[in-house]
Amino acid sequence: MATTGSPDYRDSGLVFAPDFLIGSATASYQIEGAVHEDGRGPSIWDTFSHTPGKITNGDTGDVADDHYHRLDSDLDLMESLGLEAYRFSIAWPRIQADGTGKPNEKGLAFYGRLVDGLLDRGIRPIATLYHWDLPQALEDAGGWVNRDTASRFAEYAAHTVEALGDRVHTWTTFNEPWCSAYLGYGSGAHAPGRTDGAAALAAVHHLNLAHGLAVPEIRRAARNEPDVSITLNLHVIRTPEDATPEDRVDEARRRIDALANRAFLSPLLRGRYDDDLLTDTAGVTDWSFLRPGDEEQIHQPIDVLGVNYYSTVTVKMWDGVSPRQHADGHQDVGGSPWPGSGDVEFVVQPGPYTDMGWNVAPDGLEELLVSLHEQFPGQTLMITENGAAFPDRVVETDAGKTVPDADRVDYLNRHFTAAHRAIERGVPLHGYFVWSLLDNFEWSWGYTKRFGIVRVDYETQERIVKDSARWLQELIATRRTPAVPSLVE
Ligand code: FCB
C-alpha cells in the first residue's frame, strides 16, 4: 500500500502500536569510563585512543560519561524518560581481561546490576556482546584477522549468557561488523588502525564466523528464550542524477553493495558469499581463510535483524583523472575501507547535513527497510540505531537548564515518519532505538560530536535533558509522534 504524507517526511500524529519497542542506545567504551577498574583489561580502543594523532583533541574513553560510577542515576534518568528498552553493550575486556579463560566476576556483576536495574524500572535489556572493544591481547595475537578470535568470541558469549541469560530480552552478537572490519583493518580510521585490504576481508569473514559460532552458544546458555540478533550498518546506495554512461553507475553500485551489504547479509541470511564479491576482491585476497563448512556455520536463524541507519551514499566509477571524491561518511586517514574498489568514487551528496557531515535522508531509511523485507520476507527488523549529531547549546530557564535541539527533534521526527511508512507497507519492524541516550565518545571524533538526547557536561558529568528526549518521552507515553515546531533550514 502506498502511503501518503508530507513529501519531506515531516508528519505528526503517527500512531505506533503498543508493542512497538521504543528506546535508546549506547555502547560500553563510549560511555563507561573506569577503564582500569574491577579487573577490566585493555581493549583495542584504549590502545588506539592513547596513540597520538588518532583521535580529535587526543580524547580517550578513560572517563567518558563516567557511567560505570553513575549507573543508578543513569538508570533513573532512563526511567524518567519512560524508555521501554535500553540497548547497551558489554565490554569484553571486563568479562575476560585478555579475551580468554575464566570470566571476571566483578565485570559480570556490573552488567548484572545494570540488567537488574533496568528490569526493576520496567525497561527491557537489549544487550550487544561486541561494540568494538576487542581485548588488546587478542589483537596482539592477530585480532579479527586470526580465525581463533572467532572461537574466543563464542566462548566469551557463552560465559556472559550463562551469567545473565535468564534476564536479557535480546542478545545481539555484533554491532556493525562493517566498521570493525573495514575501518579497523582497511582504512585505519578505527582501532586497531591497520590499513590492509586483505586483512579487512579476513576480518569480515571471521566476524561473520564468530556470529555463527556464538548464536548456538547463546541459545544453549540462555534460560529465557531470548531473541538473538546481529546489527548491521547497511548502506543505502544511490547514484548521481546527472550520471553519464562513463560513470558506469550500475557497476559502482553493485561493487559497493557486495562489499558493504552482501558481504554480511548473504552468508548470514542466505548461507553463501556471493561470487561477485569473491571475484571483485580476487586481486586483494584469495579468500583462503574461507573453509568448508564455514558458510553453513554462519547461516544461523536469527530472531531479529538490527538495522543502524544514519544517511545514504552516492557512487559512480572514478574516471581516474579528476580528484577522487571519497564522501563515504568516514574520515580519510590514508587506507581504503573499500578493498578492491579503489576505483569507485563516493560523490558529495545534497544536504542538509548533520554535524558529522552526513546527509539527512529519511527516505533512505524507508527504502532500506522495504528492501530488506522484500529480500528476506518474514525476517523481523529493528532499528537499533538512528540519530544525529548537532552542535547543541545550553539555555538557562526559570525551570533549569535545557537544550533546544530543534534540528535533532526534526531529524528524529522525519525518521520515525519513515519507519512508520515502512510499517504501513508491511515491514515487520518491531522497534526503534535512538542513538544515543547520552552525548559520548564518538570514536575517532572524540567528544566533538554530540549525538545524545541527553547532554553531558564533560567537566561536571551533569546530565541535561534535551528537547529531543522530551519529544521521545511524549512519543512513548502517547504512542503518537508529537507535533514538531517548524525548522528553518
Ligand atoms: C555507529 C556506531 C555508534 C555511533 C554511531 C554514531 O556507527 O555504532 O557507536 O558511533 O555510529
Side-chain angles (χ1 to χ4, degrees), residues 175-194:
N175 175 73
E176 301 191 354
W178 185 93
C179 292
S180 296
Y182 294 118
L183 298 182
Y185 296 87
S187 83
H190 280 189
R194 291 181 57 184

Side-chain angles (χ1 to χ4, degrees), residues 146-394:
N146 178 0
R147 184 179 175 93
D148 187 54
T149 302
S151 305
R152 299 283 76 76
F153 177 76
E155 269 175 34
Y156 149 65
H159 285 310
T160 307
V161 178
E162 267 154 25
L164 303 171
D166 53 343
R167 291 166 282 170
V168 169
H169 176 271
T170 301
W171 288 101
T172 303
T173 52
F174 287 95
N175 175 73
E176 301 191 354
W178 185 93
C179 292
S180 296
Y182 294 118
L183 298 182
Y185 296 87
S187 83
H190 280 189
R194 291 181 57 184
T195 52
D196 172 351
L201 290 164
V204 166
H205 179 58
H206 295 142
L207 286 154
N208 283 332
L209 181 63
H211 165 87
L213 293 169
V215 169
E217 290 296 316
I218 295 170
R219 294 206 198 278
R220 179 190 58 71
R223 299 182 293 287
N224 63 345
E225 296 197 20
D227 282 351
V228 180
S229 70
I230 184 166
T231 278
L232 303 177
N233 56 320
L234 298 165
H235 286 58
V236 175
I237 305 165
R238 304 252 162 96
T239 56
E241 277 174 19
D242 59 353
T244 63
E246 291 73 49
D247 292 332
R248 296 191 291 135
V249 291
D250 291 340
E251 170 69 358
R253 189 195 344 238
R254 184 196 61 70
R255 295 254 294 269
I256 297 309
D257 182 45
L259 278 172
N261 299 332
R262 289 184 283 113
F264 302 98
L265 288 172
S266 291
L268 289 167
L269 298 178
R270 300 187 179 102
R272 205 167 181 276
Y273 286 102
D274 295 339
D275 292 338
D276 63 337
L277 173 68
L278 274 55
T279 317
D280 291 345
T281 55
V284 178
T285 174
D286 61 5
W287 283 76
S288 53
F289 45 77
L290 172 58
R291 302 208 187 144
D294 285 358
E295 288 160 309
E296 291 74 15
Q297 185 70 46
I298 295 168
H299 187 209
Q300 301 288 331
I302 52 170
D303 303 292
V304 176
L305 175 63
V307 175
N308 289 358
Y309 176 83
Y310 292 92
S311 62
T312 59
V313 290
T314 297
V315 299
K316 66 185 182 70
M317 298 306 291
W318 180 43
D319 62 13
V321 181
S322 37
R324 189 174 156 265
Q325 300 180 69
H326 48 79
D328 61 4
H330 305 287
Q331 276 166 311
D332 182 15
V333 295
S336 169
W338 305 105
S341 281
D343 50 351
V344 176
E345 183 167 47
F346 288 77
V347 176
V348 173
Q349 304 175 92
Y353 308 102
T354 68
D355 199 27
M356 297 294 284
W358 297 345
N359 61 310
V360 179
D363 51 327
L365 176 58
E366 179 182 359
E367 182 183 317
L368 173 61
L369 295 168
V370 170
S371 146
L372 285 170
H373 178 50
E374 283 167 3
Q375 293 177 70
F376 309 104
Q379 177 65 63
T380 297
L381 305 177
M382 187 107 95
I383 298 167
T384 37
E385 281 181 30
N386 172 252
F390 287 109
D392 301 320
R393 69 197 162 88
V394 181

Side-chain angles (χ1 to χ4, degrees), residues 57 72 101 242 283 323 421 431 434 468 479:
N57 297 330
D72 291 333
D242 59 353
R421 290 186 191 182
V434 173
S468 53
R479 313 304 304 171

Side-chain angles (χ1 to χ4, degrees), residues 401-414:
K401 290 179 188 163
T402 172
V403 177
D405 57 340
D407 32 20
R408 185 174 293 101
V409 171
D410 183 61
Y411 181 98
L412 292 177
N413 181 49
R414 297 178 74 189

Side-chain angles (χ1 to χ4, degrees), residues 465-478:
V465 174
K466 303 182 191 179
D467 283 358
S468 53
R470 303 267 178 238
W471 182 89
L472 192 73
Q473 181 182 35
E474 188 180 336
L475 164 59
I476 296 170
T478 63

Side-chain angles (χ1 to χ4, degrees), residues 8-37:
D8 58 8
Y9 288 73
R10 289 193 169 98
D11 295 354
S12 59
L14 300 173
V15 177
F16 284 89
D19 59 353
F20 185 80
L21 214 51
I22 304 176
S24 190
T26 63
S28 47
Y29 189 70
Q30 294 180 276
I31 65 163
E32 286 177 359
V35 291
H36 300 300
E37 255 160 89

